[in-house]
Amino acid sequence: MIHTEDIFTISSKKDFEKLTLKVFRYQFDNNKVYNEFCTLLKKDKSNVKTILDIPFLPIQFFKSHEIVSTTNSVQETFTSSGTTGMQTSKHLVTDVSLYEQSYRKGFAEFYGNIEDYCILALLPSYLEREGSSLIYMVDDLIQSSTHPDSGFYLNNYEDLIAKLIALDQSGQNVILIGVTYALLDLIEKHTFQLKNTIIMETGGMKGKRKEMIREELHAILSHGFGVPVIHSEYGMTELLSQAYSLGNGIFECPPWMQILIRDTEDALSYVTNGKTGGINVIDLANVNSCSFIATQDLGKKYPNHSFEVLGRFDHSDIRGCNLMVL
């Protein structure tokens, strides 16, 4: 049995490694799909001795299988965005309180007390569909901020422009979290000079604009909002935790989440720090689903456990979670 408090009180590398192996054993025993996947790779509890021995389930399995490690009933089903006819991922969440603890504690880890901020959300493509885990998280952060001006904006750009200017000029700390194309739309309508506002992009052109490399995108957004750096959030439907970048596209994880970079030619081996490969994610908050996900994202890891997202493997579906093409 995995205790929730053990996940969110990790304080050392040893704690993380010990709990990660415990979660592997638990999911091997209780997740039928993951068990079969491990068995195909000839991996089991007897020969998985370190984190590097753990098999990572390809993220595509969330499109074709029910990935659960418990018999408890499903409380929330989060679905990925996708164009018409595209098969979407489904994340069956049996304990939504784990998700809530993960994003609340994760936010506090990087930004401090949520009540110090007014949260403005410009997430039109997510608001217009059901089942978005991002909307669930941001809605809760808006409520938790307790600021009367916190809220969602759909296509009412003029109201958002006026609100953003007034709040920033009053000295209020603001976080504007937005899908990339909508942030670009906003600065085409008005150029800002913001002093007390963090701009956080969640990625995703959603077919609305051409994809661009991060450096170009962030330079345009920095100029348009008048801020020195652009923050980013790295999360996805299939996970319950997020990594954050406080600028320059360098992400860091909360203590219960970690990134490994796999070799693009051999998915069962890893590359050294600074080399490009596929991003594998360990998300211990995802204990009731699968904590070991092989994404279709390309990235690099650095010695302090920070990482960079560089793009996607060729022929992968375009998705909305902070992904730029190479």
Side-chain angles (χ1 to χ4, degrees):
M1 185 66 186
I2 309 296
H3 298 289
T4 301
E5 59 268 24
D6 293 339
I7 296 170
F8 299 117
T9 56
I10 290 172
S11 60
S12 67
K13 179 182 177 183
K14 184 178 179 181
D15 283 351
F16 182 87
E17 291 177 351
K18 183 178 178 181
L19 188 58
T20 297
L21 289 169
K22 187 175 180 180
V23 169
F24 164 74
R25 293 190 292 270
Y26 173 78
Q27 292 182 342
F28 183 87
D29 286 340
N30 293 282
N31 186 322
K32 181 175 182 291
V33 175
Y34 185 59
N35 179 287
E36 290 176 356
F37 177 72
C38 291
T39 301
L40 280 171
L41 296 177
K42 296 182 170 53
K43 292 285 189 176
D44 57 37
K45 292 184 290 184
S46 70
N47 57 18
V48 171
K49 303 294 187 185
T50 72
I51 286 177
L52 297 183
D53 297 329
I54 295 173
F56 282 74
L57 189 73
I59 201 165
Q60 301 94 305
F61 276 65
F62 282 84
K63 293 183 176 183
S64 54
H65 297 76
E66 293 189 350
I67 311 298
V68 288
S69 298
T70 176
T71 57
N72 294 341
S73 56
V74 174
Q75 294 180 353
E76 291 280 346
T77 299
F78 293 129
T79 57
S80 62
S81 55
T83 57
T84 304
M86 183 187 292
Q87 190 177 10
T88 57
S89 292
K90 285 189 175 182
H91 187 181
L92 306 179
V93 180
T94 59
D95 184 357
V96 77
S97 72
L98 274 171
Y99 183 40
E100 293 167 349
Q101 287 186 75
S102 180
Y103 64 67
R104 288 170 185 167
K105 290 176 184 292
F107 180 91
E109 184 88 12
F110 292 97
Y111 295 99
N113 188 349
I114 184 69
E115 293 184 6
D116 292 340
Y117 297 92
C118 176
I119 307 292
L120 305 179
L122 184 59
L123 300 164
S125 49
Y126 292 93
L127 271 178
E128 293 164 335
R129 70 176 183 85
E130 295 291 322
S132 166
S133 58
L134 179 62
I135 293 296
Y136 189 101
M137 175 181 80
V138 174
D139 183 52
D140 187 63
L141 292 177
I142 285 170
Q143 303 303 320
S144 299
S145 76
T146 69
H147 194 284
D149 290 319
S150 290
F152 286 100
Y153 288 80
L154 190 53
N155 298 309
N156 44 341
Y157 287 102
E158 297 308 318
D159 290 347
L160 176 57
I161 289 167
K163 184 72 70 181
L164 199 49
I165 292 171
L167 286 166
D168 190 80
Q169 289 181 348
S170 76
Q172 170 65 47
N173 292 324
V174 177
I175 295 179
L176 172 61
I177 181 168
V179 64
T180 304
Y181 77 83
L183 293 175
L184 290 168
D185 288 347
L186 183 62
I187 59 173
E188 286 181 357
K189 297 180 184 298
H190 187 90
T191 301
F192 299 85
Q193 283 298 321
L194 301 173
K195 304 297 182 188
N196 300 295
T197 301
I198 291 169
I199 306 299
M200 183 187 296
E201 56 96 5
T202 68
M205 292 300 190
K206 303 293 183 186
K208 307 277 187 180
R209 290 171 175 262
K210 72 176 180 70
E211 298 284 333
M212 62 181 79
I213 62 171
R214 177 188 54 77
E215 288 84 357
E216 179 188 6
L217 170 67
H218 283 201
I220 292 169
L221 291 175
S222 290
H223 177 76
F225 285 107
V227 295
V229 295
I230 301 298
H231 293 222
S232 304
E233 178 258 359
Y234 180 77
M236 56 192 69
T237 300
E238 300 85 356
L239 300 175
L240 292 184
S241 300
Q242 303 77 32
Y244 288 99
S245 167
L246 306 189
N248 303 315
I250 304 299
F251 289 89
E252 293 187 41
C253 296
W256 55 91
M257 180 184 183
Q258 197 175 111
I259 300 297
L260 300 174
I261 305 296
R262 68 182 184 273
D263 192 322
T264 54
E265 301 297 324
D266 177 7
L268 300 181
S269 62
Y270 294 95
V271 298
T272 55
N273 287 336
K275 293 201 171 178
T276 300
I279 294 178
N280 285 0
V281 181
I282 301 173
D283 177 12
L284 298 182
N286 220 11
V287 63
N288 294 320
S289 176
C290 183
S291 291
F292 312 104
I293 306 296
T295 77
Q296 294 174 317
D297 303 337
L298 288 165
K300 291 180 182 178
K301 187 174 177 179
Y302 299 106
N304 63 351
H305 288 302
S306 65
F307 69 101
E308 195 172 357
V309 182
L310 299 175
R312 295 182 60 72
F313 284 91
D314 290 340
H315 312 303
S316 297
D317 297 336
I318 295 295
R319 63 194 292 146
C321 305
N322 199 22
L323 309 172
M324 317 295 169
V325 295
L326 290 169

